[in-house]
Amino acid sequence: MADDEKKRLEEAKKAKQAEIDRKRAEVRKRMEEASKAKKAKKGFMTPERKKKLRLLLRKKAAEELKKEQERKAAERRRIIEERCGKAKNIEDANEAELQTICQMYWHRIYNLEGDKYELERAIEIRKMEIADLNSQVNDLRGKFVKPTLKKVSKYENKFAKLQKKAAEFNFRNQLKVVKKKEFTLEEEDKEKKPDWSKGKPGDQKVKEEEVEA
C-alpha cells in the first residue's frame, strides 16, 4: 500500500511538472510570435517607402494649395463683378458712349460715397452708445475707470532739481561781495570832514577880514 501511494504521488508530481512545462512553452511561443510581429511592423516602412510617401504628400499638398488659390481668385472675380460690374469696352467706343460710361461710373461713385458716409456715421454712433453703456455699467458696479496717464521718466525730476541747484550756485557766485568797513574810535578821529561842512570858498575870506577889522 505504501508503494502504491508513493507511485501515485510521483505520478502526480510528474503530471504537474509536465503541465507547468507545457504552459511555459506556450508563453514562450506567444512571446516569440509577438516579437516577430513587432519586427515585421518596424520593417514595413523602409527608407524608399518613406521617400515615396513624402513625395506623394508634397504632391497632394501642392494640388490642394493650387485648388485653394484658384477658388479664391474665382471668388474675388465674382465679388468684383457684383460690386463694380463687368469691364466696359473703351477702345472701340465713340465719344457719346464714353460720356455715358463716365456718367454711369460717376453716379456709382456718388452713391458709394453716400453709403460710405452713412456707414461711418452709424459706426460712430454705435461707438458712442457702447461707451455710454460701459460708463453706466461701471457706475452701477461702483467701479471707477482710471484715466490713461502719460508715462513720465523718473529721472526728469532729478535732473530738474540738479539744474535748479546749479543755477542757484552760479547766481550766488556772480553776486558782488560787499565788505562792511569796521570803524574804530581812532579811525573816526582821522576821518575827514565832508565837503558840505567846510562852507563856501568865500566864507573863509570874509572871516579873515572881520578878524583884521
Side-chain angles (χ1 to χ4, degrees), residues 39-55:
K39 287 180 181 179
K41 285 182 180 178
K42 286 182 180 178
F44 177 74
M45 288 299 291
T46 59
E48 292 180 358
R49 288 181 178 178
K50 287 181 180 179
K51 189 176 180 181
K52 287 181 181 179
L53 181 62
R54 200 177 293 115
L55 291 172

Side-chain angles (χ1 to χ4, degrees), residues 12 19 24 44 52 72 131 142 144 151 156 191-192:
E19 184 68 20
R24 285 179 179 175
F44 177 74
K52 287 181 181 179
K72 286 183 179 179
F144 176 72
K151 291 184 178 180
E156 288 183 1
E191 276 186 349
K192 294 180 180 180

Side-chain angles (χ1 to χ4, degrees), residues 89-133:
N89 188 8
I90 300 172
E91 295 179 356
D92 299 333
N94 54 19
E95 187 176 354
E97 291 176 351
L98 289 173
Q99 288 180 357
T100 305
I101 292 168
C102 290
Q103 287 178 0
M104 184 183 66
Y105 282 141
W106 184 85
H107 285 297
R108 183 183 288 274
I109 292 168
Y110 180 79
N111 293 328
L112 290 173
E113 287 293 330
D115 295 339
K116 178 186 172 185
Y117 174 76
E118 290 178 358
L119 289 172
E120 288 178 351
R121 187 169 177 276
I123 289 168
E124 292 296 328
I125 291 170
R126 291 285 177 85
K127 286 182 179 179
M128 292 172 65
E129 290 176 353
I130 290 167
D132 189 13
L133 290 172

Side-chain angles (χ1 to χ4, degrees), residues 175-186:
L175 289 175
K176 292 181 179 179
V177 179
V178 179
K179 293 183 179 180
K180 293 182 179 180
K181 192 173 182 181
E182 297 179 356
F183 296 98
T184 59
L185 293 173
E186 295 177 357

Side-chain angles (χ1 to χ4, degrees), residues 3-157:
D3 294 335
D4 295 337
E5 188 69 24
K6 286 180 180 180
K7 286 180 181 180
R8 282 199 301 272
L9 290 172
E10 288 177 358
E11 288 176 358
K13 285 181 181 180
K14 288 180 180 179
K16 191 175 181 180
Q17 187 65 32
E19 184 68 20
I20 291 169
D21 293 338
R22 186 179 63 79
K23 287 182 179 179
R24 285 179 179 175
E26 289 179 357
V27 171
R28 194 180 295 111
K29 187 177 180 181
R30 284 200 299 270
M31 290 176 70
E32 288 177 357
E33 289 176 355
S35 64
K36 286 180 181 179
K38 285 182 180 179
K39 287 180 181 179
K41 285 182 180 178
K42 286 182 180 178
F44 177 74
M45 288 299 291
T46 59
E48 292 180 358
R49 288 181 178 178
K50 287 181 180 179
K51 189 176 180 181
K52 287 181 181 179
L53 181 62
R54 200 177 293 115
L55 291 172
L56 289 172
L57 289 173
R58 286 179 182 174
K59 188 176 180 181
K60 184 70 175 176
E63 290 177 357
E64 292 292 332
L65 182 62
K66 188 176 180 181
K67 288 180 182 179
E68 185 68 18
Q69 289 176 352
E70 290 176 355
R71 187 185 64 78
K72 286 183 179 179
E75 185 70 17
R76 184 171 178 272
R77 285 195 298 271
R78 185 183 65 79
I79 292 170
I80 290 171
E81 288 178 358
E82 286 180 359
R83 293 182 180 179
C84 303
K86 293 183 179 180
K88 304 294 182 182
N89 188 8
I90 300 172
E91 295 179 356
D92 299 333
N94 54 19
E95 187 176 354
E97 291 176 351
L98 289 173
Q99 288 180 357
T100 305
I101 292 168
C102 290
Q103 287 178 0
M104 184 183 66
Y105 282 141
W106 184 85
H107 285 297
R108 183 183 288 274
I109 292 168
Y110 180 79
N111 293 328
L112 290 173
E113 287 293 330
D115 295 339
K116 178 186 172 185
Y117 174 76
E118 290 178 358
L119 289 172
E120 288 178 351
R121 187 169 177 276
I123 289 168
E124 292 296 328
I125 291 170
R126 291 285 177 85
K127 286 182 179 179
M128 292 172 65
E129 290 176 353
I130 290 167
D132 189 13
L133 290 172
N134 286 331
S135 63
Q136 290 178 8
V137 170
N138 290 326
D139 291 339
L140 290 172
R141 290 180 179 175
K143 291 183 179 180
F144 176 72
V145 180
K146 293 182 180 179
T148 54
L149 301 175
K150 293 182 179 179
K151 291 184 178 180
V152 180
S153 177
K154 61 182 180 180
Y155 298 105
E156 288 183 1
N157 294 330

